[in-house]
Amino acid sequence: MKEKNSTGAWIIGIRFRKKGKIYSFDGAGVALEKNDRVIVDTENGPAIGTVVTIVKLAPLSNLPDNLKQVIRKADEADLKAERENIELEKEALHFCRRKIGERNLPMRLVEVSYLFDRSKLIFYFTAESRVDFRELVKDLVAKYRTRIELRQIWVRSEAKIFGGVGMCGREVCCVGFLNNFVPVSIKMAKEQNMLLNPEKISGLCGRLMCCLAFEYDDYREAKKHMPKVGKTVDLPQGKGKVVRQNVLEEKIVVDLGEGKEVEVSIDDIVRKNKQEP
């Protein structure tokens, strides 16, 4: 058992979903190991989660804001309540989808989450624009007699919930390790010389692939030292125009005219300011 420490706090990582974000909690006072089920304090009240990291002492200067406490290990009654909540979530998902269809609402229900203490049901959905779901909320309140929240999420968040395999053959990044989404633009694809085919650069969510942002800064930095496409350069073979860049191999393809192209390393380029007089 870890006691309170005047110089820091015993931090432990906890997930609430199988592959969701890892949240930090104060684990002092509770003996915990990886894979333990625990009850923790959150902004929405008590919640049940799984320990995914070992307990570490973190200095007070590095503690997360509003650090919450691990209350205790989950017992059999807690696990039973969790199983019952999961069944209620499934039933609420089907009920809400049926009501959405009956009311012809332009929204797609993605997931339902029941707070551990059953004080609120949260319905996550996607939609192209704002949706007037006031009558739907009335249906849900009448059915479940608890607080109801309808929360619109991004399509990228929907892909994170359902998961899947990307065109690279690996599990989609948003499920495997991405905790936060960063803006991705078509400029990133252009900078990496990718074919601007929507099927080739879009993820399962239908938006530009998150991985386009991973190496964007490296490509942009590397290109600073390469002649731009369209620039005329001097080579040992003669003068020509740059038609393509191979950033990974630090090479360029130069059109020498009359249908003749050569691929050369940027180190082989003879620049005018370096030619002997």
Side-chain angles (χ1 to χ4, degrees), residues 128-146:
E128 294 296 327
S129 58
R130 292 179 62 87
V131 180
D132 183 356
F133 47 65
R134 288 173 292 182
E135 295 303 315
L136 175 63
V137 171
K138 292 179 182 178
D139 293 336
L140 297 172
V141 170
K143 173 71 173 178
Y144 296 105
R145 300 295 180 181
T146 188

Side-chain angles (χ1 to χ4, degrees), residues 38-266:
V38 291
I39 304 298
V40 298
D41 182 30
T42 73
E43 293 181 355
N44 291 319
I48 186 168
T50 303
V51 176
V52 293
T53 67
I54 60 175
V55 181
K56 294 181 179 180
L57 181 63
L60 294 176
S61 58
N62 292 341
L63 294 182
D65 295 333
N66 303 317
L67 186 66
K68 299 293 185 178
Q69 190 85 23
V70 174
I71 300 174
R72 55 181 168 79
K73 281 188 178 181
D75 57 25
E76 185 53 41
D78 296 321
L79 299 179
K80 179 182 178 182
E82 181 187 35
R83 291 191 295 268
E84 292 175 348
N85 285 351
I86 291 174
E87 291 303 313
L88 287 169
E89 289 170 351
K90 292 178 181 178
E91 195 276 334
L93 183 73
H94 294 306
F95 176 81
C96 186
R97 281 179 174 167
R98 178 161 58 84
K99 289 299 180 180
I100 288 173
E102 290 175 0
R103 296 191 176 279
N104 197 29
L105 295 173
M107 57 192 291
R108 171 181 164 82
L109 186 63
V110 176
E111 188 180 41
V112 177
S113 178
Y114 214 169
L115 296 190
F116 184 70
D117 60 2
R118 300 187 183 181
S119 61
K120 183 194 290 187
L121 262 174
I122 305 173
F123 296 79
Y124 299 90
F125 71 94
T126 60
E128 294 296 327
S129 58
R130 292 179 62 87
V131 180
D132 183 356
F133 47 65
R134 288 173 292 182
E135 295 303 315
L136 175 63
V137 171
K138 292 179 182 178
D139 293 336
L140 297 172
V141 170
K143 173 71 173 178
Y144 296 105
R145 300 295 180 181
T146 188
R147 287 189 297 159
I148 299 295
E149 179 181 346
L150 271 73
R151 187 178 300 176
Q152 187 169 355
I153 61 174
W154 202 14
V155 289
R156 293 187 186 275
S157 300
E158 180 183 8
K160 183 179 180 69
I161 291 172
F162 287 114
V165 177
M167 62 183 299
C168 59
R170 297 171 60 92
E171 182 179 53
V172 288
C173 300
C174 58
V175 174
F177 61 89
L178 281 183
N179 289 326
N180 298 302
F181 295 111
V182 299
V184 183
S185 68
I186 197 69
K187 180 181 178 181
M188 294 179 176
K190 291 180 178 179
E191 198 73 52
Q192 297 172 63
N193 301 328
M194 299 191 68
L195 293 175
L196 302 183
N197 181 338
E199 294 183 357
K200 299 294 185 181
I201 60 176
S202 299
L204 298 182
C205 59
R207 300 297 191 268
L208 293 172
M209 294 186 297
C210 293
C211 58
L212 290 174
F214 296 169
E215 298 178 351
Y216 171 63
D217 290 337
D218 293 329
Y219 270 85
R220 189 172 55 176
E221 184 63 29
K223 283 190 172 185
K224 290 180 180 179
H225 309 290
M226 302 181 73
K228 295 182 179 180
V229 172
K231 181 178 178 61
T232 299
V233 295
D234 289 329
L235 304 176
Q237 301 92 324
K239 183 176 292 186
K241 182 180 293 186
V242 178
V243 292
R244 288 189 300 279
Q245 296 173 320
N246 186 336
V247 178
L248 295 179
E249 296 184 11
E250 296 187 333
K251 294 180 179 180
I252 58 172
V253 177
V254 179
D255 181 3
L256 297 176
E258 299 181 354
K260 184 178 180 181
E261 292 184 352
V262 294
E263 185 178 55
V264 297
S265 168
I266 59 174

